[in-house]
């Protein structure tokens, strides 16, 4: 079973993503704090991380940087979620932040799930 770490300071968003990912057969770890995300990734070795960009304390960009710096977590794919990107901007092309896929909030769950499956399949074959 593939494991996904979801990090978002909005508890409602966290709950929606957790329920949907579990329904899709994923094991899910959640936290509302960026600082916790780094230690959770090191201890639980998720197959993928979903990160909110704007969070108090350590934001998603900082979390992604810390993950890329550490040998245990540098190869974990990251998907960013953000309200900073509009749906129109998202549809214009494959937006990335620090070479990570980015989805605008509110996120289209079907598109997010499709991208998760794609990333996990490509990570398994590389």
């Amino acid at each position: 079973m593939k494991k996904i770490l979801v990090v978002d300071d909005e508890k409602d968003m966290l709950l929606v993503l957790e329920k949907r990912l579990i329904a899709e057969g994923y094991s899910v770890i959640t936290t509302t704090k960026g600082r916790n995300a780094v230690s959770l990734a090191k201890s639980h070795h998720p197959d993928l991380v979903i990160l909110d960009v704007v969070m108090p304390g350590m934001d998603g960009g900082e979390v992604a940087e810390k993950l890329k710096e550490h040998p245990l977590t540098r190869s974990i794919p990251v998907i960013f979620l953000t309200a900073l990107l509009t749906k129109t901007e998202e549809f214009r092309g494959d937006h990335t932040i620090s070479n990570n896929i980015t989805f605008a909030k509110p996120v289209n769950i079907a598109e997010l799930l499709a991208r998760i499956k794609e990333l996990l399949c490509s990570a398994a074959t590389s």
Side-chain angles (χ1 to χ4, degrees):
M1 176 181 296
K2 297 288 185 178
K3 193 182 315 177
I4 299 175
L5 171 59
V6 183
V7 187
D8 199 312
D9 62 323
E10 295 176 34
K11 290 181 182 175
D12 290 344
M13 176 62 111
L14 206 59
L15 186 60
V16 166
L17 288 172
E18 180 181 30
K19 284 183 175 183
R20 191 60 194 269
L21 291 168
I22 288 170
E24 292 292 320
Y26 297 108
S27 171
V28 181
I29 306 151
T30 63
T31 184
T32 57
K33 300 191 183 323
R35 290 203 192 295
N36 294 350
V38 177
S39 60
L40 285 170
K42 289 177 184 174
S43 62
H44 291 276
H45 311 288
D47 298 289
L48 183 124
V49 176
I50 299 174
L51 276 174
D52 183 17
V53 172
V54 179
M55 295 184 289
M58 185 183 284
D59 68 29
E62 291 173 288
V63 172
E65 281 181 34
K66 296 281 184 200
L67 294 175
K68 296 302 177 200
E69 289 171 0
H70 197 280
L72 287 176
T73 57
R74 76 170 40 119
S75 63
I76 300 172
V78 172
I79 294 177
F80 282 119
L81 303 181
T82 184
L84 297 175
L85 180 68
T86 66
K87 290 307 245 182
T88 304
E89 289 170 325
E90 179 185 314
F91 290 130
R92 280 192 209 139
D94 188 47
H95 280 270
T96 60
I97 296 175
S98 302
N99 296 317
N100 297 294
I101 296 163
T102 306
F103 281 89
K105 286 182 175 181
V107 66
N108 178 314
I109 296 289
E111 289 176 17
L112 177 63
L113 290 171
R115 192 54 85 111
I116 288 169
K117 287 179 185 173
E118 182 182 301
L119 282 171
L120 291 175
C121 286
S122 67
T125 58
S126 54

